[in-house]
Amino acid sequence: MTPSDGQPTTVPSKLASLDDVELIQRVADRRQDAISELYDRYGSLMLGVARKILGNTQDAEEVVQEAFVQVWVQAGRYDRRRASPSTWMVMITRSRAIDLLRSRKVRARAARAAREEDPPRHESPEGARAVLYEERRERVLEALGRLPDEQREVLELAFYRGWTQREIAWETGIPLGTVKTRTLLAMKKLRITLQDEIRELL
Amino acid sequence: MTRERDQSHDPEDTAILQALRAMDAVDSESLEEVVRTGDATGSVLLRRYTEVLGLLGYAAEPQPAPEALRSRILTALAGDETQRIDPQAITVVPAPSRVEGRTEPGPSVPEKRSVRTARSPSWLAAVLALVALGLAAGLLWLSDELETHQERLAAQERLLGELDEALEETRAEQESAVYANLAALEEIRDRFRLVTAAGTEICPMLPPERSPQPNARGVLYIAADHQHWYLKAEGLEPLEATRVYQLWFVAGPEGEPVSGGTFRAAESGEIQLGSPTMPDGTKAALITLEPPGGRDLPSGPVVLYGDEVMRIL
């Protein structure tokens, strides 16, 4: 289905000037153009997260579609005190992707697709937000790069595989206490290193 | 995902573990439980660590967001506004069954022929037997030695592992203390920035008549965006376990009180709180005494109250 088929299309509108919270409020009011604007802003990020977790583009797109439907359904319950819109949407995507990953069939398919598919193409969102996106991504990568390997590893296992600390300990053979210590330390370091980014999101 | 029991008493560690749990509970009601308004300082820390986790998403390689996907999303929303897509309903293409390669028979190897040896003299057999005996004894001795060395090596490796673990723990404790101090410094910088910013408003908070704590004083700083705020109060009395302080914002046309979280004062009677959100149209703030966990509406005596706002710069 393409936009020219008479289906809902992207509406270039004043929405681009709204901040993310205002857009979520528009989504809660059942404005499709608002969800389209959110797709422009975060579709690429959400697809990146889903692709990294699932290892293939087809499943990643399915997950992102589900995530946007969830945003649509739950926009009225979004609480800005808990998380910024981008964090909220990333977490929804991650949660959906990990649910899918836990299905054994999809896991096998993801492993096969990861072998067969071309390496992911680096592509940032277009437009004025691209610079902001790239800068933020660079700072996050730099912050992660500063962490010792063992601390980064436990954090990535928790975030991208959805493993609990107990599962990480079991799978890696690292004592549970050590896993916990590494996780806490990694998070504290990231909070300091990324304090400017966090301030922007608050 | 199963929940890990949080045994840490450090508010920073608790916030991190809660953020990790909330990350996994994003889709369920348990998130409500995890982030329910409770301890005000804990809520701020939890929010910061939630954002740290959200930022991790940026580490993934961004992917092109195709127009076709946008159309599918919009079509799904147009079809049924409350439609949920069941992840279980996703069609999974079965993996092609792997064709096991048949093992081709290898080239035939001719059977070893038994070679009949010439009969040796008996003295040679005896010498060979002695040599074999000597070799066997030597091998036995070497095997014992090897086992002993292996055991020693294993013990040393275990010791090394324990030392490594202890070293990592000590280093982590030291680093953790450094980062906790840096985080505290960051909080102070944030508050300093808010207090000194142009457009910041101040709201003095004083004990009303018949306040149970007439010596308490406080100042609420409200940023120009009317969202970020910072409260500093002193002279607050220590409370028994059955009471907590609860901050309220009075907002809206009807002046509804909205909870800003519960807290306990330090031994010095001082408290410093801050948050990036405040109800729209806040007209006044108050602090009351409430049961642990707080209440949905103020029920206890008012300790401090303020409704006059002044702009500094």
Side-chain angles (χ1 to χ4, degrees):
Chain A
M1 189 79 63
T2 62
S4 58
D5 292 334
Q7 292 302 312
T9 57
T10 323
V11 183
S13 67
K14 296 166 195 163
L15 292 176
S17 62
L18 296 183
D19 68 28
D20 293 345
V21 175
E22 290 167 324
L23 273 180
I24 298 280
Q25 285 162 354
R26 298 291 194 287
V27 172
D29 294 337
R30 293 292 180 263
R31 291 269 305 267
Q32 283 204 13
D33 51 352
I35 207 117
S36 187
E37 177 65 25
L38 283 175
Y39 181 78
D40 282 338
R41 291 185 192 182
Y42 298 113
S44 187
L45 170 65
M46 291 162 76
L47 277 163
V49 171
R51 172 75 172 68
K52 176 142 181 163
I53 291 169
L54 295 163
N56 73 86
T57 306
Q58 188 189 342
D59 286 327
E61 288 191 5
E62 292 284 352
V63 157
V64 169
Q65 181 174 337
E66 289 169 17
F68 271 102
V69 172
Q70 190 172 337
V71 168
W72 177 261
V73 172
Q74 295 185 344
R77 285 168 49 195
Y78 166 74
D79 185 346
R80 62 186 296 180
R81 289 173 302 175
R82 293 177 189 168
S84 61
S86 61
T87 292
W88 183 55
M89 292 170 75
V90 163
M91 291 305 179
I92 287 175
T93 308
R94 173 193 170 275
S95 177
R96 288 270 170 191
I98 284 171
D99 283 349
L100 197 57
L101 187 69
R102 287 192 179 131
S103 144
R104 207 170 49 179
K105 282 182 183 175
V106 172
R107 194 177 296 174
R109 179 171 149 189
R112 194 177 67 246
R115 285 196 302 272
E116 290 168 0
E117 247 186 41
D118 290 335
R121 205 151 45 98
H122 177 95
E123 182 146 340
S124 300
E126 291 176 1
R129 293 180 189 274
V131 177
L132 179 69
Y133 186 105
E134 264 310 308
E135 282 177 358
R136 178 165 289 170
R137 177 170 152 72
E138 273 171 27
R139 283 195 284 264
V140 171
L141 287 174
E142 192 190 332
L144 280 170
R146 280 195 210 168
L147 294 179
D149 289 347
E150 64 272 14
Q151 290 175 16
R152 188 170 53 248
E153 185 194 13
V154 290
L155 212 53
E156 286 183 345
L157 290 174
F159 190 83
Y160 287 112
R161 295 217 190 157
W163 288 357
T164 61
Q165 291 179 44
R166 201 172 292 280
E167 284 168 333
I168 294 170
W170 174 259
E171 296 285 344
T172 60
I174 302 167
L176 180 59
T178 308
V179 171
K180 187 173 167 184
T181 307
R182 288 178 184 175
T183 309
L184 292 175
L185 206 48
M187 289 288 284
K188 285 177 187 174
K189 287 179 182 176
L190 287 180
R191 182 192 158 191
I192 296 299
T193 322
L194 295 170
Q195 57 182 291
D196 290 339
E197 304 299 319
I198 295 167
R199 199 172 289 124
E200 281 173 23
L201 292 168
L202 293 178
Chain B
M1 186 174 293
T2 54
R3 284 182 164 209
E4 307 290 353
R5 186 163 287 282
D6 171 25
Q7 292 171 335
S8 171
H9 297 295
D10 179 69
E12 188 117 8
D13 291 357
T14 306
I16 294 170
L17 296 172
Q18 282 186 332
L20 286 165
R21 285 206 301 261
M23 174 171 78
D24 295 320
V26 72
D27 211 13
S28 70
E29 288 302 314
S30 50
L31 179 63
E32 302 284 334
E33 192 188 315
V34 171
V35 295
R36 189 187 295 280
T37 306
D39 178 77
T41 312
S43 299
V44 173
L45 286 170
L46 175 59
R47 172 69 197 274
R48 284 176 191 266
Y49 281 112
T50 302
E51 296 302 342
V52 169
L53 290 171
L55 284 168
L56 286 182
Y58 282 84
E61 195 83 35
Q63 298 294 300
E67 278 305 314
L69 177 58
R70 182 203 307 273
S71 298
R72 286 210 304 274
I73 292 166
L74 296 179
T75 305
L77 301 183
D80 178 0
E81 288 191 344
T82 55
Q83 182 184 359
R84 272 173 172 273
I85 295 174
D86 181 4
Q88 305 301 322
I90 292 170
T91 314
V92 178
V93 180
S97 57
R98 196 171 151 195
V99 179
E100 298 293 340
R102 285 196 330 187
T103 311
E104 294 295 331
S108 60
V109 180
E111 279 183 31
K112 236 180 197 175
R113 280 190 197 167
S114 60
V115 180
R116 182 173 284 185
T117 51
R119 185 174 288 175
S120 308
S122 58
W123 62 266
L124 187 57
V127 169
L128 283 174
L130 274 175
V131 170
L133 207 64
L135 276 173
L139 277 174
L140 202 65
W141 178 79
L142 278 174
S143 164
D144 276 352
E145 281 292 292
L146 188 66
E147 203 173 315
T148 310
H149 280 290
Q150 276 174 337
E151 276 170 15
R152 275 188 206 153
L153 195 64
Q156 281 170 347
E157 275 175 355
R158 273 198 302 276
L159 184 65
L160 201 61
E162 284 167 14
L163 285 173
D164 265 352
E165 220 171 284
L167 188 66
E168 186 175 339
E169 211 164 292
T170 311
R171 198 174 53 208
E173 276 170 18
Q174 296 299 323
E175 279 192 78
S176 191
V178 169
Y179 279 93
N181 286 333
L182 283 172
L185 189 64
E186 176 211 346
E187 297 280 345
I188 292 167
R189 277 194 193 131
D190 277 356
R191 287 167 185 175
F192 180 76
R193 206 173 283 130
L194 189 153
V195 168
T196 56
T200 293
E201 296 172 341
I202 60 168
C203 172
M205 296 187 69
L206 298 167
E209 273 185 47
R210 283 183 286 175
S211 165
Q213 299 185 23
N215 296 322
R217 297 283 183 278
V219 181
L220 178 67
Y221 296 86
I222 305 164
D225 64 3
H226 282 226
Q227 285 295 318
H228 291 72
W229 57 268
Y230 160 55
L231 169 71
K232 184 175 186 304
E234 53 193 35
L236 295 170
E237 292 172 10
L239 301 176
E240 64 267 32
T242 55
R243 288 285 184 93
V244 290
Y245 291 104
Q246 187 162 8
L247 174 68
W248 303 92
F249 295 112
V250 180
E254 304 296 325
E256 300 96 359
V258 178
S259 175
T262 60
F263 61 90
R264 288 183 172 277
E267 274 183 25
S268 62
E270 195 176 295
I271 182 72
Q272 296 187 46
L273 297 173
S275 162
T277 53
M278 173 183 266
D280 290 334
T282 294
K283 296 165 186 161
L286 63 151
I287 293 171
T288 59
L289 291 174
E290 304 292 348
R295 284 275 169 91
D296 292 337
L297 288 170
S299 64
V302 178
V303 177
L304 287 173
Y305 179 84
D307 60 0
E308 287 183 21
V309 174
M310 293 174 277
R311 180 166 288 194
I312 312 173
L313 297 171

